[in-house]
């Protein structure tokens, strides 16, 4: 599946730089996330991972260079258009779940649709709710759920719009290994069984090993890539950087 006639990439970055005053957080990064791929982003603290994710997902604008979602140059969009594009075509999963505490699980999952005034596809909702194991919890408030369950709700919310790409920023950092494995399996299934594209920022070699490839950042640049990663290979590559 491609998102426009002429690109195999869900998102592509061309010579993207981002500076904060004197600090260059990203330096001329070019990269493409192939549609239907699962990519992990790794790198030491301060290497630019968050900045990369924010620029690639349209949460922030690069200082230089361009970012395309399918055929759309996000830099050319006005703020309101960019907000709508993010809501309708991109899914987000954050370390802290970011659920609305006063809303039920169901309302949290369907929030990207209701914010955009779109109707809920009940069949699709039922499918993703079952996939994330929350069918019996739709009326619950997030506070009644464990961290792992809350993150699974966040994954369902990220998938409810059938986004072209999902960005997950350290989604398992606060979870025990079993809950983390459950969330990572869901992201893997989003790629393998739902045809989505997933980008995962992580510090954890075990989490990165769920991806098809690992991109290593260092000093605001892409310094290496590892395909078909195992946790051991990720660790070895990390040690050699
Ligand atoms: N809003 C900001 N204002 C000023 N400097 C920033 C800002 N955001 C990031 N930086 C700087 O840009 C560089 C890259 O930061 P970034 O947060 O992208 O790295 P990271 O790899 O995600 O780090 P971590 O693993 O610690 O989250 C760092 O030197 C950081 O201090």
């Amino acid at each position: 599946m491609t998102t426009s006639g002429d690109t195999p990439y869900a998102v592509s970055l061309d010579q993207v730089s981002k500076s904060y005053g004197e600090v260059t957080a990203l330096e001329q990064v070019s990269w493409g996330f192939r549609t239907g791929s699962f990519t992990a982003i790794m790198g030491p603290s301060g290497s630019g991972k968050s900045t990369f994710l924010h620029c690639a997902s349209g949460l922030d604008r690069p200082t230089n260079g361009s970012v395309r979602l399918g055929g759309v140059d996000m830099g050319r969009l006005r703020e309101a258009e960019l907000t709508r594009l993010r809501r309708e075509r991109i899914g987000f999963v954050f370390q802290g779940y970011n659920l609305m505490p006063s809303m039920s699980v169901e309302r949290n999952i369907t929030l990207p649709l209701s914010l955009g005034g779109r109707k809920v596809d009940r069949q699709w909702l039922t499918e993703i709710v079952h996939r994330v194991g929350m069918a019996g919890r739709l009326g619950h408030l997030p506070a009644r759920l464990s961290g792992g369950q809350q993150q699974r709700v966040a994954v369902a919310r990220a998938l409810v719009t059938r986004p072209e790409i999902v960005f997950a920023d350290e989604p398992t950092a606060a979870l025990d290994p079993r809950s983390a494995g459950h969330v990572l399996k869901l992201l893997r299934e989003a790629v393998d069984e739902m045809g989505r594209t997933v980008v995962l920022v992580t510090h954890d070699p075990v989490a990165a090993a769920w991806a098809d490839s690992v991109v290593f950042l260092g000093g605001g640049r892409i310094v290496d890539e590892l395909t078909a990663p195992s946790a051991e290979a990720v660790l070895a590559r990390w040690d050699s950087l």
Side-chain angles (χ1 to χ4, degrees):
M1 186 185 85
T2 56
T3 48
S4 85
D6 57 357
T7 174
Y9 301 112
V11 163
S12 56
L13 294 83
D14 185 23
Q15 298 279 304
V16 168
S17 298
K18 178 74 182 178
S19 302
Y20 299 102
E22 301 279 282
V23 178
T24 303
L26 275 188
E27 205 169 347
Q28 297 198 320
V29 170
S30 296
W31 194 256
F33 294 104
R34 280 191 174 273
T35 298
S37 67
F38 187 169
T39 308
I41 310 285
M42 297 190 83
S45 191
S47 59
K49 301 182 297 296
S50 296
T51 306
F52 182 83
L53 183 135
H54 288 169
C55 288
S57 64
L59 284 172
D60 207 349
R61 292 180 188 267
T63 311
N64 283 302
S66 66
V67 181
R68 300 180 81 85
L69 175 73
V72 178
D73 182 345
M74 292 201 269
R76 292 182 182 272
L77 301 180
R78 287 195 296 265
E79 214 48 49
E81 294 172 319
L82 190 56
T83 301
R84 205 179 80 201
L85 175 138
R86 277 200 310 263
R87 194 169 59 220
E88 294 182 352
R89 296 176 57 181
I90 301 177
F92 291 94
V93 184
F94 299 102
Q95 181 177 340
Y97 325 130
N98 294 19
L99 301 179
M100 302 298 283
S102 63
M103 290 185 181
S104 67
V105 164
E106 179 168 353
R107 284 189 64 207
N108 265 288
I109 293 173
T110 56
L111 192 60
L113 298 171
S114 44
L115 283 173
R118 290 164 69 190
K119 273 178 59 177
V120 176
D121 175 341
R122 302 302 308 183
Q123 201 177 339
W124 177 238
L125 179 63
T126 302
E127 181 179 337
I128 54 176
V129 160
H130 273 96
R131 275 187 183 272
V132 304
M134 285 291 130
R137 308 273 187 156
L138 288 180
H140 289 196
L141 292 177
R144 291 185 58 194
L145 306 177
S146 69
Q149 289 169 333
Q150 290 189 54
Q151 196 60 301
R152 283 189 269 141
V153 172
V155 170
R157 180 185 57 190
L159 293 172
V160 78
T161 57
R162 293 190 170 91
E164 285 150 54
I165 189 162
V166 174
F167 289 96
D169 193 1
E170 297 270 8
T172 56
L175 303 180
D176 65 78
R178 192 152 169 257
S179 302
H182 202 156
V183 167
L184 291 160
K185 183 165 175 280
L186 288 171
L187 295 174
R188 186 70 250 178
E189 286 173 4
V191 173
D192 294 342
E193 294 168 23
M194 301 181 219
R196 304 300 103 178
T197 306
V198 172
V199 179
L200 165 75
V201 168
T202 183
H203 282 107
D204 177 5
V206 174
W210 284 81
D212 300 317
S213 65
V214 183
V215 170
F216 293 92
L217 284 177
R221 292 173 178 273
I222 290 174
V223 293
D224 209 346
E225 184 194 12
L226 181 64
T227 51
S230 65
E232 295 73 25
V234 172
L235 206 52
R237 191 67 64 93
W238 178 275
D239 284 341
S240 73
L241 289 176

